[in-house]
Amino acid sequence: MADKLAVGIDIGGTKIAAGVVDEDGHVLARLKRETPTTDPLEVIDAIAAITEEFRREHHIRAIGVGAAGFVDATQSTVLFAPHLAWRHEPLRDSVARRTGLPVLVDNDANAAGWAEWRFGAAQNEADLVLITLGTGIGGAIVIDGQPYRGQFGIAGEFGHMQVVPNGNQCECGNQGCWEQYASGRVLTRRARAAATDGTELGKLFLSEAGGAVERIEGHLVTKHAKAGNEEAIQWIADVGDWLGVGIANLAAALDPGMFVIGGGVSDADQLLIGPARAGFSRTLTGRGYRAEARIVRAHLGPEAGLIGAADMARLTARRRRPANPSATARVRAAARKGMSPKPRR
């Protein structure tokens, strides 16, 4: 066991969640910190401090970092993170220098998808798609038991598929993106509108948010839907229907055996999954003449990202030596001058 523990770190826009994870996906110790959002060096400091605290009690083999942003295909650099000050940040090598451990960096949804395939809802499933429903929509693809990241490392950004031409304006700059119709932001938008309009349900939301419309969030809709409020149930069903439409599009492109639904909105469980299955069956190309993928809720909850990042890092550490940033830089410089073969990672 001493050689099989890894640290998983899930870096979101507001918090860093970390844990020591064993080879069976069990989290043995946990820590949380607020995410420094303005200085990349402060995030590296936080990762190093968390790792050092864990190493006082555990023999750590590797570090896996799941980042909420675009990670390049080498799993080393965060190209862009919308909620953090990362722009072409060489996170893997920076953390390796600080800790002296092998480091792997991946998109947080990729890490969660790997965890669900290894230890969660999609065990023994060769091909799967994970869809994470939070404020927006993220995702991950596993094909024949291997994560698929695309040529540039950015596969799985499903939320920005266009499903309604000239539809709602999205924060990405385009219009009609899927996440404008099938994510937590939809529930937040409707709940705040209801509060502004003074509906009975809106008054409940406003009361629970301390009288401030801007503090109303989508989880309040889920709470009242699970308590039986018919209007809230319908709002969840509307999101589920749009979710099913997007899943049908993904099935046409990828044809996986299973879609796993995670993220905070999945707390609505069958109030969401049921309408999603119906929307999927209604929209699927060739319906009635082909097998339909299963649509299930994720099993590992909010710790899926850190579990998956730790597991990928541990498995990768078995296959290669710890990162040596200065040596890697020399090899790459030589390769650019035609003095050596393509550098190995």
Side-chain angles (χ1 to χ4, degrees), residues 8-314:
I9 299 179
D10 188 355
I11 302 177
T14 59
K15 72 177 185 305
I16 298 173
V20 176
V21 183
D22 69 14
E23 63 177 340
D24 296 318
H26 299 134
V27 182
L28 307 182
R30 296 169 173 84
L31 286 173
K32 286 188 178 181
R33 298 283 188 274
E34 291 186 1
T35 303
T37 58
T38 59
D39 187 348
L41 292 179
E42 290 183 3
V43 177
I44 294 167
D45 289 342
I47 294 172
I50 288 169
T51 302
E52 182 59 30
E53 187 164 344
F54 282 144
R55 291 172 90 174
R56 294 172 188 163
E57 301 291 336
H58 304 277
H59 181 76
I60 303 301
R61 170 70 169 164
I63 303 171
V65 180
F70 294 176
V71 178
D72 74 342
T74 69
Q75 296 175 275
S76 63
T77 301
V78 182
L79 302 174
F80 172 76
H83 303 295
L84 298 168
W86 283 342
R87 304 294 184 270
H88 289 274
E89 180 66 29
L91 188 62
R92 183 189 68 189
D93 293 350
S94 297
V95 174
R97 276 195 296 267
R98 288 290 302 274
T99 64
L101 289 169
V103 178
L104 178 142
V105 178
D106 210 332
N107 172 267
D108 55 351
N110 286 345
W114 179 255
E116 290 291 343
W117 181 78
R118 284 272 286 156
F119 310 113
Q123 294 179 69
N124 303 316
E125 190 70 44
D127 303 318
L128 74 104
V129 172
L130 171 78
I131 298 168
T132 58
L133 301 180
T135 303
I137 297 178
I141 305 166
V142 176
I143 298 176
D144 196 21
Q146 295 295 321
Y148 178 76
R149 299 181 177 86
Q151 180 68 31
F152 306 108
I154 308 174
E157 293 295 332
F158 306 137
H160 299 291
M161 300 186 304
Q162 187 184 64
V163 295
V164 180
N166 302 314
N168 293 337
Q169 184 69 42
C170 183
E171 285 75 6
C172 76
N174 291 329
Q175 290 179 273
C177 290
W178 189 26
E179 68 177 42
Q180 292 299 317
Y181 301 88
S183 70
R185 73 175 68 248
V186 179
L187 300 177
T188 297
R189 187 168 61 228
R190 294 188 73 166
R192 291 179 179 180
T196 300
D197 293 343
T199 70
E200 289 304 311
L201 185 55
K203 290 176 182 177
L204 289 176
F205 295 147
L206 196 60
S207 174
E208 291 176 274
V213 172
E214 65 275 9
R215 293 178 58 188
I216 296 173
E217 300 293 341
H219 66 85
L220 292 177
V221 179
T222 300
K223 173 186 173 181
H224 286 277
K226 292 170 78 171
N229 183 281
E230 291 296 330
E231 187 174 8
I233 289 172
Q234 185 58 53
W235 292 2
I236 298 285
D238 290 344
V239 168
D241 188 68
W242 274 111
L243 177 61
V245 170
I247 290 174
N249 290 340
L250 292 173
L254 299 171
D255 192 31
M258 177 182 287
F259 289 92
V260 179
I261 313 302
V265 182
S266 70
D267 288 346
D269 202 6
Q270 293 307 309
L271 295 175
L272 175 79
I273 301 297
R277 288 178 179 140
F280 171 67
S281 296
R282 186 186 70 249
T283 312
L284 182 66
T285 303
R287 53 195 173 275
Y289 299 96
R290 58 178 289 180
E292 292 189 9
R294 289 182 292 158
I295 301 174
V296 303
R297 185 182 176 189
H299 286 179
L300 299 178
E303 291 190 325
L306 72 87
I307 291 171
D311 191 63
M312 287 193 289
R314 182 180 55 80

Side-chain angles (χ1 to χ4, degrees), residues 322-341:
N324 185 330
S326 60
T328 301
R330 289 196 299 271
V331 171
R332 289 176 176 168
R336 286 194 294 270
K337 296 177 182 178
M339 297 169 59
S340 71

